[in-house]
Amino acid sequence: SLLRLKDLEVAELGDSDVHVKMLAAPVNPADINMIQGTYAILSPLPAVGGNEGVGEVLEVGRRVASLKPGDRVIPAGAGLGTWRTQGVFPEEMLLKVPSDIPVLCAATLSVNPCTAYRMLADFETLAPGDSVIQNAANSGVGQAVIQIAKASGIKTINVVRDRPDLPKLVERLMALGADHVVTEEMLRKPEMKDIFKSIPKPRLALNCVGGKSTTDMLRHLQPKGTVVTYGGMAKQPVMVPVSAFIFRDLRLRGFWMTQWRKDHAQDQEGLASMMDAVCQLIRRGQLTAPACTEVPLQDYKAALEASMKPFTSSKQILLL
C-alpha cells in the first residue's frame, strides 16, 4: 500500500509559522487522485495526504498577526496535507474560520461548498425562479449546489445514477431542498417535459461525470446555456452533438477551485465575501455538511476503501 501511518517530529515554530492541532479532515476524490498520481497537482514525495480539513491554533510565531491560539483554521489552498494530528504551517497557508461553525462543516468547507458557490455565481447570471441541472447530485458539491441554490430561490434538477436504494437517496436530496431528482435514464424519457411545465429550462448545467450523462443533460439546456465541467467520474470525454453548438450556441466551460484560488490570490475581498456568504448559510442552517461517516485516523484504510466504493453517499471524515 502507498499509505502508512507514521509518527513524525513536529517542526520548529518559525516567526511566521502557526502550530495547528488538526481536528477533522475529509477524504475527497481529488485526494485519492493525487495519491494515484492522476491529478494536476502532485506533492513531492514523501507527502502527507489530504487537501481539506479544520484545525485549532495551538501557538503562533512572533510575526503572526492574523491568528492567535484557540482560533479555528482551514487550508488556504490545496496540498497542505491535512491527514495528520498536528502540523506547523506558514501563516499565509491558513484561513481563519468562525469558531461557531460546526466542526464537520468547517472540515468540509474549503473545497465543495466553495466550488458550488463559484459555479452558481460565475458562469450565468441566475435570478430567483431560474433553474440549474446537475449530475452526481449526491456528491459533496452536488449537495452544496442544492442548498445554496435553494437559499437563492433557484430551482435544481438533480441527476443521479439508478441504484438499489434510490427512493432513500431521492428523499434525502429532497430534504436538502432539491426540486426534482431524476435518474440518468430518465433524462432521455419524454416525461422530462412534465418537469418543464412548472419550471423554466436551465441555463446552467454542472457536470462532474462526463460521457453519456453529460450529453443527455445538455439536451435540456436553454439556447446559449453553459455546461460547466468540474470533474470526470465516468472517465469518459464530454460528447456534444454538433447541432448543440450550431443551432443552440451552447458554451462549454471548466472549473477548478484550486485555479480560482490562484487567480484570486490578491483578491482578499473576493475570498472574504465568498467565505462570509458560505459561513452565513451554515449559521442559518441553510447549508449543512454532507452526509458523513466519522472514522478515527488509525482506521484510515477503511475510510479510503469506503470512499472508493461505487454509489457512496457518505463522505468519510478522519477524526484527528
Side-chain angles (χ1 to χ4, degrees):
S1 122
L2 294 166
L3 292 173
R4 305 189 190 58
L5 211 48
K6 281 186 73 165
D7 286 322
L8 302 172
E9 290 287 311
V10 174
E12 293 229 337
L13 188 73
D15 286 350
S16 308
D17 288 342
V18 179
H19 182 187
V20 177
K21 171 185 185 290
M22 291 303 296
L23 302 172
V27 178
N28 288 321
D31 303 328
I32 306 275
N33 293 343
M34 274 177 82
I35 294 162
Q36 291 167 335
T38 57
Y39 204 61
I41 33 178
L42 302 172
S43 305
L45 298 171
V48 178
N51 289 293
E52 191 180 32
V54 63
E56 185 183 321
V57 175
L58 295 177
E59 197 187 349
V60 300
R62 58 193 180 89
R63 287 221 194 98
V64 173
S66 67
L67 295 168
K68 59 185 191 308
D71 283 348
R72 288 266 174 92
V73 288
I74 62 173
L80 192 70
T82 53
W83 299 346
R84 60 173 109 208
T85 54
Q86 295 189 21
V88 170
F89 309 105
E91 176 183 18
E92 72 269 9
M93 290 176 76
L94 301 168
L95 283 179
K96 184 175 166 176
V97 289
S99 300
D100 62 350
I101 300 283
V103 165
L104 293 184
C105 288
T108 52
L109 183 67
S110 61
V111 180
N112 296 333
C114 291
T115 298
Y117 182 89
R118 293 265 56 104
M119 292 193 304
L120 288 169
D122 294 352
F123 295 93
E124 289 282 347
T125 312
L126 299 170
D130 285 346
S131 78
V132 300
I133 188 168
Q134 63 165 348
N135 55 22
N138 56 316
S139 67
V141 172
Q143 293 176 57
V145 164
I146 291 171
Q147 296 173 85
I148 295 169
K150 167 95 174 161
S152 324
I154 294 158
K155 310 284 183 201
T156 55
I157 301 156
N158 301 281
V159 186
V160 296
R161 285 184 298 173
D162 199 3
R163 62 193 66 214
D165 59 348
L166 185 66
K168 228 162 65 189
L169 176 61
V170 171
E171 198 180 318
R172 226 183 57 187
L173 296 183
M174 297 299 274
L176 286 180
D179 294 282
H180 298 276
V181 182
V182 298
T183 61
E184 293 187 334
E185 291 71 33
M186 274 181 68
L187 283 175
R188 297 191 282 281
K189 302 245 167 85
E191 289 87 287
M192 283 299 287
K193 289 200 181 71
D194 297 340
I195 290 179
F196 301 119
K197 284 175 184 159
S198 57
I199 63 173
K201 287 206 155 190
R203 285 218 306 278
L204 181 65
L206 306 177
N207 163 49
C208 75
V209 178
K212 204 160 174 37
S213 167
T214 313
T215 314
D216 290 334
M217 193 165 64
L218 63 81
R219 292 183 201 284
H220 300 292
L221 276 186
Q222 283 189 33
K224 295 197 186 316
T226 306
V227 182
V228 181
T229 292
Y230 67 97
M233 306 298 260
K235 298 187 167 57
Q236 286 161 357
V238 171
M239 307 287 269
V240 183
V242 170
S243 60
F245 283 124
I246 300 173
F247 303 122
R248 293 169 53 224
D249 190 18
L250 293 189
R251 285 142 227 266
L252 269 68
R253 301 285 308 273
F255 182 77
W256 188 30
M257 195 64 223
T258 303
Q259 188 63 45
W260 187 92
R261 289 187 192 280
K262 277 192 195 125
D263 294 347
H264 292 80
Q266 303 312 311
D267 173 19
Q268 286 308 309
E269 254 171 79
L271 180 64
S273 83
M274 169 173 72
M275 298 311 285
D276 287 348
V278 171
C279 288
Q280 218 28 54
L281 289 169
I282 292 170
R283 269 196 206 95
R284 289 195 204 120
Q286 292 176 305
L287 178 61
T288 54
C292 294
T293 305
E294 302 176 39
V295 183
L297 180 60
Q298 57 269 27
D299 299 340
Y300 73 92
K301 283 193 174 126
L304 289 166
E305 273 165 31
S307 72
M308 293 166 76
K309 283 205 179 89
F311 304 124
T312 319
S313 278
S314 187
K315 193 168 275 300
Q316 305 292 308
I317 307 258
L318 298 171
L319 296 186
L320 310 162

